[in-house]
Structures are given as C-alpha cells and as structure tokens.
Amino acid sequence: MRIGVVLSQTPGYSETFFNSKIKGLQENGMEVRIYCQSKKEGFKLCPAIESPKVSRNPILQAWYFLKEFSILLLHLPVLLRYIKLERNEGIGMIQIFKKTYLNAHLLKAKVDWLHFGFATMALGSETVAKAIGAKMAVSFRGFDINVYPIKHPECYKNLWKHVDKVHSISQYLLHKAISLGLSVESPFAIITPAVQLDALPMPKTITTSSESIKIVTIARLTWIKGLDVAIAAMGILKEKGINFTYYIIGEGDQNYTERYKFMVYELGLKEEVVFCGKLSHKETLEHLTTADLYVQPSLNEGFCNAVLEAQAMGKLIIASNVGGLPENIVDGKTGWLFENLSSESLTQQIETVLALSEADKKTISQNTQKRIIEEFNIEKQQKEFIEFYTL
Amino acid sequence: MNNHFKIIIFDGSFQTTPFINRLVARLAENHDVYILGFNEKIHKKVKNVNYIPLGSNQNKFRFVSTALALSFSKKSFTHTSKTLNLLFKKRRKEVQQQNFEIAVSQIQPDCIHVQWPSLLPWCEGFLLHNTHKIILSQRGSQTNIIPFVDAENFEYLKKWYPKVSGFHSVSKSVSEKGDIIWSDTSKIDNVIFTGLPLEQMVFSNKYLKSKPLALLSVGRAHWVKGYDYALKCCKVLKDAGVSFHYTIIGGAEDEELQYLRKELGLEELVSLKMRMPQEQVFELMKSSSLLLVPSIVEGLPNVAVEAMALGLPVISTDCGGVTELIENDCTGWIVPSHSPSVMALAIENFNKMPLEKIHNIRLAGRKKVEHYHSDTQMIKGMENLYKEVIQTSNP
C-alpha cells in the first residue's frame, strides 16, 4: 500500500509524531511519500516531492506552467477527471487552470491514500484524491480546527464532502469539527501523539522542597498560549510571598515579545520570570528535568505535545481545562486542570499542588509516567496508524 | 533675539500624523517650517510648509535623482564622487544619511524637532558634535515600553539623551518614563498636551443613554490597547445580565479578538469593525453611550480627549497619562488596567447612574478639554519649548 502525506514541509528531526508514524508504516511494508512545499536539507526518511513553484516573474511563471502542463498531459485521464470534478463543484475554467497547476504534484501521484497532514493543507485540493483514484484522509491538529475557521467560516465545506476518513489527535477536535459541519457518519480514528520514552532524560526523584520553586512553560510567544494568564498568576504568587522562578521556553515575534516582557516589567517580576527564548529539544528537556512544576496556560490546544513529554518525565503539571488538555491529563490523577483564562484559578491550583505531601507528589508522578508509558507509546501509535489505513 | 525660527520637523515621512499636521500648519504662520522625509508619498501637503525629500524608499529613480541633486548642490567634486560611489554600491542608508546631513546644512535650522526616539540614530552626528539643537518628542510606546523590555534600547537612549537639547512629552507620565532613562537638573522637558480644533468639534447636547448600552472603543488592534481585557469585561457584563452592545473600531481582522469573542460567547454582543475616517468615528461617538479605554499603556490617548470634546463619557484604565485627563467621578471614570471585573462594575454603575449626573460629568469633561487641549495652548507650548531650547546655550 502506498500512502501520500501532504505537509507544508518535511518534518524536522524533533517532530517525533510524523517521523515515528512514517517509520511504523514502512516497517509494515507500506510505502510513504511526502508531498510538500519545501524540503528540508537532510530529510531521508522517505521520498519527498515538492509542489510546483510560484514565481512573481511572469516569464518564469509561464515557463513553469508550460513545463507542468506538458508533464500532466501524460496523466490525461486523471486531468480530465479532475476538471470534471471541479466543474461539478461550480468552479470556473480560469480557477481550474490555476488549481490544476498548484495541485500538479498531487495529480501525478500514484497512491492509495492521500493524507493531508492538517485540515488547512486540504484547502483547494479537496477533489484531488478522487481524481487520482485514491482515498482521502485528513488530520486535525489544533489551529486548523480551533482558530482558522473563525476567520474563514465554511472553509471546510468541500473537505467534509470529499474526505473518506479523518484522523483527530483528540476527541475534542473531532467534536469541534463536527460542530463545524463534519458529518457524524464520517469514519474517524482518534490517534493521540506519542512520546519516545527512551529519548527522554528521566529524573529519578521529584522534589519541590527546595528554597525556590522552578516553574516551566514551553510555548511560542503568541496569544493562544495564554502566557498573560500565567504571568498574572506569577504576580499573585509573588504577592503571597512564594519564592519561585518561572521559565518560559519559546520565542515569538517582536510584538508578542514586547507584550509579555512589558507585563513582566509592569508587575515587577523581572527577577522571577526568565524568557529563555528558543531552545533546542535537548536543552528544553534538560530544563524540564530540574523543573518542580510544569504549567500550560493555553487558551486552546489540540492535544499538546509539551504536556505529554512533561508527563513522561513524571513532572507535576497544571494545565488549562480546555481543548484536548483534559484528555491529555486526568485531572487530579496525572496532573491538574484550572479554569481557562483565569489567573486566580491557576494560582490556587499551584498553591494546592505545592502544599501536597512529598508522598502524594510521588504517587501522582508515578501515575503520570505509568499512564504515558501504557497509553502514549510510539508502538501503540504506529499500530493505530496501520489500522487507520487498513481497517 | 527674534521670535522667528527655522524649524525642521523630522518624522521620517511626509505623511505625518494629524497631530503634527495641525502643529506645523499653525507654526508655519510665524516660522519657517521644513518637513524632511524618506517616504515622499503624501495626499495633501500642509500649506506654507517646505517638504524636503531625503531619497524615496518607494521609487528608485527618485532616490537617485534626489541624492544627486543634493550632492551637486554642495558644489564639491569629492562630495559628488562619494555619492556616486555609494549609489553604485547600493548603500541606500548611507546615501540617505548623507542626504539628511546636506539638507540640514542648507537649511541651517534653529532646531530640529525629532518626532520619534527611533529616529535618533540619524541625528548622531549632530548630537555628537553639538552642531544643531535637537528636540525629541516622547509620546508612546517608544518611550513607555521598548526601553523597558529591550535593555539594548534603554542603554542606547541613556547614552544619547544627555546630548538632546530639549524634550516634548505628551503627558507627565511619559515625561516620568523619560526621566527613568535619563534625568538631570539642566534637562529641558516640557509637557505639552495634544491640541484639538475644538471650535470644529461641537459638544453634543442630545446625549442619550441607549438601551442596550452602546459601548465604543477606537484604535488599532494592538496588545497595548487591552481589548482582550475589554472582551473579558463584556463576559462579566453578560453574565450579570447587563444589556449592552460593544463596538471596537479597528478591531476587525484580529485573530485573537475574533477567537475570544467566540470563546466567550459574545458574537451577538460585540462588533469588530474596520478602521474608518475620523468624521465617521465622530458620528459614531455621538450615537454611543460610553467610550471604553481598556489600554495597558498610553502616552495620552487622543481618542479619550476627542470623546470628551464631543460629550461622550469615558471609562478608562489608569494607563499612562489618562489620570492627567480624567479625574475619577469628576470628568469620567478610572479603573485599574488588567481588571475586567472592576471595569464591568464601573459600567454597571454607569448604567444605573441618573442622566443628570452623567450630564454634569460630560460638561466637566468638555471644560477640562477646552482648558488643556486647545490648539492654541499646544502651539504656545511648542513655541515656548523651541524658544527655551534655542536661547539656552549648550553645555
């Protein structure tokens, strides 16, 4: 069986989710190809095919057009089928011409499944799978379902019509997609992200008895990560005389950097809050090993890999009660949830956790690791993906 | 010494803000005013003001011709050859720097009024050799925010501020921020409030507290505006059963606000609108019940001054210079920033307030604005600052 995965670019080294999925499929005799806009240097896991180029230079663009369409003539039946499908959707000929060019790399594909890595990737390519005689699959990851449709209502109307099977990383995203118009009858599979446990440093003990508590968040500096909620909570903690340092690992554009740094300045937290910027995966994990508490204040998450990794390391985790996070964490057993957007609720939860006995903390930590090992391991994920295409 | 000055206004662009346009129009009545800019696009030039191009950022031909014209005017072979050399090597910024310096040396101004701290690097040569009097405006985020989140920027300003001859601050609060960067007994720093053409801004006598209560905010969607807190405030109002509708002019297209509006269930109660021309904004102010200023940081929000001039009551956070404009319960209402529930409470109180009290506040607001925010006081303040700086000998 041949699977074509459509992504914006080939997965990076640390994107375990895609890489382990591909390896798993290959080990089971499936052939995987990636269709993407740009190929990263050194990606060798499977063949990667780039999408047709778009140039501002009209002469160059005319040449690209000519080249692509000449090759497409070798796939004439597919091309005609595609044009017919698009005509049925009420698309005009000029638009079809453009779409044919942009989808040329997919129209030439010989695959059994065309799997769009996230819902927005499928926009403009909804009928391609049918045209090439493949089944169409799509993954829901977070932004594509949580945020994009707010600005673009009805954007997935055609996707819902043509998709053969959906993959969601959480129950939450699936339900959200149904509320956006996905048919309840659409075949689906929930396959959560997984952690490669042997790649993680495993701290032997957890302690929060030290003089100053170390709190960590891994997040891009952008609004949906809810960093203002966390920073406000840190302000309250400081007022209460709690000794802590809060590390934010991740970078953002100038606007968001100024927003959060100014908030820290305003609340007088320059000593307590450290902006680490972007760190490598390895450096990030090193930070995590020495953390007493991990906080995820996001306004929404499809599932959240950072929380998953922190759990695998047995960290005490507090996350907002929103999106896929309540599936990621079992409240009170493998971590704690706080009321979304509420810094007061977050502060309360932090205090509650800090007040636990060492024995209780240890139990939670062990529960957490056990659940991750049993339910979020790579082998389970790989098996689920094979079933996704074969069942 | 006479009272007729040659003044360079340096904003980086010809398309200056309405505030600067009003200022130069009035200054040009008694002084020679020059606007120097890299961006030469302009809809309407202000009368009697000289516009001097420094090399267009938009048009290559204009860029080259401006540079050559300026360098020929020096009538020096070495100068022209240097210009040609820089042009040839496409060292745009150096050509512009040279253009700026030639233009200034030809004008021989009494002072150069630099509108934004980010433009100081262009003036380093003048500052270093003390050749011209530089006046710097302190008005917003470049004084209030950036120095305090970017240590390098703070150090830069700290290094150059002592060489600046005088400062204009739009509020006491922004002046205090500037003092954190550098302060000295000899520092000239005058607070000059924004001036509005009040004679054209008619106080509305037909005020109505509409039901649902029409709440309004005006300004681009940027985090300093605190609209995220305003939306959380709306959620509190909704839960309390208050009947209202909130409009944010300039809030359309912003992903965060759209997301929050949906997440907080406010789609029916909040409109996010595109920017609109000032006349339309003023019309909307006249038909609204209350202006909300939920900002985190402001120099002094012009929109609040405008609302008060037109007779629209204002609830604002205590950001920046607002407390210099609004005295709580006298000329409007002040709430702490970052506090949606307190703002909601203030709105509920307003909603229950007798019209007579609101009317008194509106009148007091207009009076305050007439006293402190007339065009005339702004021009007088600015002329005094120029005079003070020009007559003070440099240390």
Side-chain angles (χ1 to χ4, degrees):
Chain A
M1 188 182 280
R2 248 193 213 175
I3 319 282
V5 181
V6 189
L7 294 171
S8 58
Q9 54 180 326
T10 48
Y13 179 73
S14 63
E15 287 172 81
T16 358
F17 187 89
F18 282 110
N19 290 328
S20 65
K21 172 186 166 180
I22 294 167
K23 277 185 209 154
L25 294 173
Q26 287 170 335
E27 280 160 19
N28 281 273
M30 294 182 176
E31 248 184 83
V32 183
R33 297 195 164 176
I34 288 184
Y35 295 86
C36 56
Q37 280 139 22
S38 66
K39 204 152 71 174
K40 269 188 200 151
E41 203 68 40
F43 179 80
K44 291 206 178 74
L45 209 48
C46 69
I49 297 105
E50 283 180 278
S51 59
K53 289 188 189 69
V54 178
S55 169
R56 279 204 196 149
N57 181 334
I59 301 168
L60 209 57
Q61 188 61 56
W63 164 245
Y64 290 154
F65 270 134
L66 203 68
K67 206 174 78 182
E68 280 300 338
F69 280 101
S70 325
I71 303 172
L72 272 181
L73 286 180
L74 301 173
H75 304 258
L76 197 59
V78 170
L79 190 60
L80 293 176
R81 210 155 43 225
Y82 179 65
I83 293 172
K84 198 174 159 209
L85 282 162
E86 287 291 307
R87 292 290 285 180
N88 287 346
E89 296 295 330
I91 308 293
M93 275 320 281
I94 295 176
Q95 207 49 36
I96 293 179
F97 178 75
K98 274 193 208 158
K99 283 177 89 172
T100 308
Y101 177 72
L102 293 172
N103 285 307
H105 62 312
L106 301 177
L107 290 168
K108 289 180 286 189
K110 288 202 168 54
V111 293
D112 301 293
W113 280 92
L114 197 58
H115 190 146
F116 293 89
F118 32 101
T120 46
M121 275 319 295
L123 295 172
S125 305
E126 291 91 343
T127 59
V128 173
K130 268 200 187 74
I132 62 173
K135 287 206 166 130
M136 180 187 196
V138 66
S139 290
F140 303 151
R141 312 209 154 264
F143 175 86
D144 51 356
I145 299 296
N146 283 330
V147 182
Y148 190 82
I150 296 176
K151 246 187 185 176
H152 308 87
E154 301 287 306
C155 63
Y156 296 135
K157 222 170 99 194
N158 277 340
L159 173 61
W160 304 150
K161 207 156 93 188
H162 293 285
V163 70
D164 294 300
K165 191 165 184 181
V166 302
H167 155 231
S168 177
I169 58 169
S170 59
Q171 291 278 355
Y172 164 81
L173 283 181
L174 181 71
H175 290 300
K176 186 105 192 201
I178 289 170
S179 78
L180 291 170
L182 172 72
S183 160
V184 280
E185 258 119 64
S186 293
F188 69 89
I190 312 272
I191 307 174
T192 64
V195 225
Q196 194 145 18
L197 293 153
D198 50 3
L200 296 177
M202 289 296 171
K204 288 274 177 310
T205 50
I206 54 146
T207 47
T208 50
S209 49
S210 55
E211 289 285 294
S212 174
I213 300 135
K214 176 172 177 176
I215 308 174
V216 174
T217 289
I218 304 169
R220 271 174 300 117
L221 306 187
T222 184
W223 63 270
I224 202 155
K225 297 298 177 181
L227 291 167
D228 8 29
V229 177
I231 294 168
M234 298 306 148
I236 308 175
L237 283 185
K238 189 183 178 180
E239 268 174 29
K240 294 194 170 184
I242 295 169
N243 213 343
F244 67 91
T245 314
Y246 178 41
Y247 294 86
I248 299 173
I249 302 172
E251 62 179 353
D253 67 16
Q254 197 193 352
N255 185 32
Y256 286 111
T257 309
E258 281 173 14
R259 172 172 173 172
Y260 301 121
K261 285 194 174 172
F262 189 76
M263 191 168 177
V264 164
Y265 164 77
E266 242 191 334
L267 294 175
L269 294 170
K270 275 198 158 174
E271 298 295 317
E272 287 82 6
V273 179
V274 182
F275 290 91
C276 304
K278 193 182 167 140
L279 299 180
S280 70
H281 192 230
K282 191 166 164 266
E283 289 168 321
T284 307
L285 293 176
E286 278 165 13
H287 249 294
L288 265 182
T289 45
T290 55
D292 299 305
L293 260 185
Y294 181 86
V295 168
Q296 193 71 43
S298 306
L299 306 195
N300 209 329
E301 287 287 349
F303 195 76
C304 195
N305 288 340
V307 163
L308 202 57
E309 278 191 336
Q311 287 185 87
M313 290 166 71
K315 292 289 140 186
L316 302 177
I317 298 166
I318 302 174
S320 42
N321 187 8
V322 71
L325 287 168
E327 297 167 55
N328 199 330
I329 289 173
V330 184
D331 192 17
K333 292 212 164 61
T334 70
W336 297 268
L337 300 171
F338 72 93
E339 187 195 333
N340 191 19
L341 294 167
S342 167
S343 37
E344 291 78 16
S345 169
L346 172 56
T347 315
Q348 245 170 39
Q349 202 55 270
I350 292 176
E351 286 181 295
T352 312
V353 173
L354 291 179
L356 289 177
S357 70
E358 290 307 307
D360 284 348
K361 286 178 190 166
K362 205 174 161 194
T363 313
I364 292 273
S365 168
Q366 284 167 345
N367 282 350
T368 306
Q369 268 183 313
K370 188 164 169 270
R371 175 164 178 262
I372 299 301
I373 292 167
E374 283 167 7
E375 293 180 35
F376 299 94
N377 60 68
I378 297 274
E379 293 71 29
K380 181 166 172 270
Q381 186 208 50
Q382 287 176 335
K383 196 171 141 257
E384 286 169 333
F385 266 117
I386 291 157
E387 288 170 359
F388 180 87
Y389 298 116
T390 49
L391 285 186
Chain B
M1 188 169 204
N2 67 21
N3 282 332
H4 177 89
F5 303 131
K6 271 192 195 173
I7 303 156
I8 288 181
I9 301 290
F10 184 40
D11 170 85
S13 157
F14 280 0
Q15 192 66 46
T16 46
T17 61
F19 167 85
I20 298 172
N21 288 343
R22 283 199 303 277
L23 172 71
V24 294
R26 290 284 296 276
L27 282 178
E29 291 168 12
N30 294 315
H31 309 278
D32 292 337
V33 180
Y34 300 82
I35 289 184
L36 273 52
F38 304 109
N39 291 2
E40 300 167 12
K41 259 200 209 152
I42 180 164
H43 299 304
K44 202 174 157 210
K45 288 187 178 176
V46 180
K47 221 169 80 182
N48 297 329
V49 171
N50 306 289
Y51 286 83
I52 313 289
L54 299 176
S56 168
N57 277 333
Q58 286 95 28
N59 183 323
K60 278 183 195 158
F61 179 75
R62 288 276 305 145
F63 183 82
V64 172
S65 63
T66 308
L68 287 176
L70 278 167
S71 96
F72 285 146
S73 69
K74 287 290 272 191
K75 298 196 175 72
S76 138
F77 175 72
T78 45
H79 218 110
T80 309
S81 69
K82 188 182 162 204
T83 306
L84 282 171
N85 190 19
L86 289 177
L87 280 173
F88 193 69
K89 289 181 179 156
K90 292 191 177 168
R91 278 149 73 170
R92 162 179 287 273
K93 195 139 191 210
E94 286 168 63
V95 175
Q96 287 177 327
Q97 181 71 49
Q98 188 182 298
N99 293 348
F100 179 53
E101 283 165 14
I102 297 171
V104 171
S105 76
Q106 285 175 346
I107 296 166
Q108 286 296 327
D110 294 302
C111 67
I112 303 172
H113 183 171
V114 179
Q115 300 297 320
W116 312 98
S118 62
L119 294 171
L120 277 183
W122 296 100
C123 307
E124 282 174 14
F126 303 141
L127 289 167
L128 197 61
H129 305 296
N130 207 356
T131 43
H132 292 88
K133 307 262 187 180
I134 306 281
I135 293 171
L136 178 65
S137 277
Q138 305 190 111
R139 30 169 75 91
S141 64
Q142 289 192 25
T143 308
N144 277 330
I145 300 172
I146 297 171
F148 302 100
V149 297
D150 178 351
E152 213 175 291
N153 178 266
F154 187 91
E155 287 310 314
Y156 179 86
L157 296 179
K158 199 179 162 132
K159 177 181 167 195
W160 292 101
Y161 262 33
K163 299 191 165 39
V164 172
S165 306
F167 294 87
H168 150 233
S169 301
V170 296
S171 63
K172 283 188 205 110
S173 99
V174 87
S175 154
E176 282 159 16
K177 288 282 184 186
D179 282 346
I180 299 176
I181 297 166
W182 172 73
S183 176
D184 187 82
T185 45
S186 67
K187 183 179 183 182
I188 299 175
D189 178 8
N190 296 359
V191 175
I192 303 163
F193 293 129
T194 309
L196 292 178
L198 291 172
E199 62 289 346
Q200 294 162 31
M201 300 177 76
V202 184
F203 182 79
S204 167
N205 281 315
K206 296 179 294 183
Y207 175 80
L208 262 179
K209 198 165 68 179
S210 61
K211 201 169 167 93
L213 198 64
L215 308 173
L216 180 72
S217 283
V218 184
R220 75 210 153 107
H222 187 280
W223 65 267
V224 297
K225 299 294 175 189
Y227 292 145
D228 47 337
Y229 294 97
L231 291 183
K232 288 176 195 168
C233 160
C234 286
K235 171 81 163 81
V236 179
L237 289 178
K238 185 190 171 191
D239 291 346
V242 178
S243 163
F244 72 98
H245 190 93
Y246 179 41
T247 305
I248 303 178
I249 308 293
E253 302 283 305
D254 187 81
E255 209 167 71
E256 177 179 5
L257 297 181
Q258 288 181 351
Y259 179 84
L260 278 176
R261 177 173 66 168
K262 190 151 199 268
E263 188 65 23
L264 299 172
L266 299 168
E267 283 141 305
E268 306 290 317
L269 297 171
V270 175
S271 306
L272 303 172
K273 296 234 168 100
M274 298 291 277
R275 280 183 62 172
M276 52 176 77
Q278 199 170 51
E279 309 84 70
Q280 277 179 35
V281 173
F282 286 177
E283 280 313 303
L284 214 66
M285 279 185 173
K286 283 177 193 162
S287 61
S288 298
S289 309
L290 184 62
L291 183 86
L292 286 189
V293 181
S295 300
I296 312 291
V297 208
E298 291 278 359
L300 194 140
N302 282 337
V303 57
V305 185
E306 287 160 356
M308 284 161 76
L310 296 171
L312 176 64
V314 182
I315 294 183
S316 171
T317 55
D318 56 358
C319 57
V322 167
T323 45
E324 295 157 51
L325 175 70
I326 297 173
E327 193 186 333
N328 190 34
D329 219 25
C330 292
T331 47
W333 298 272
I334 301 278
V335 295
S337 61
H338 301 281
S339 306
S341 51
V342 184
M343 179 171 257
L345 199 65
I347 295 170
E348 280 192 74
N349 285 339
F350 174 85
N351 207 17
K352 290 180 205 143
M353 208 172 280
L355 261 181
E356 198 192 324
K357 168 146 196 212
I358 294 173
H359 187 64
N360 289 339
I361 298 258
R362 293 193 321 118
L363 285 175
R366 172 78 191 192
K367 216 166 141 190
K368 169 93 184 179
V369 167
E370 276 179 5
H371 198 245
Y372 290 97
H373 293 275
S374 67
D375 257 348
T376 317
Q377 66 78 29
M378 171 174 78
I379 305 300
K380 229 167 85 189
M382 213 56 97
E383 278 184 317
N384 286 341
L385 171 64
Y386 295 151
K387 199 153 82 192
E388 192 178 344
V389 166
I390 292 164
Q391 288 172 356
T392 305
S393 57
N394 277 335

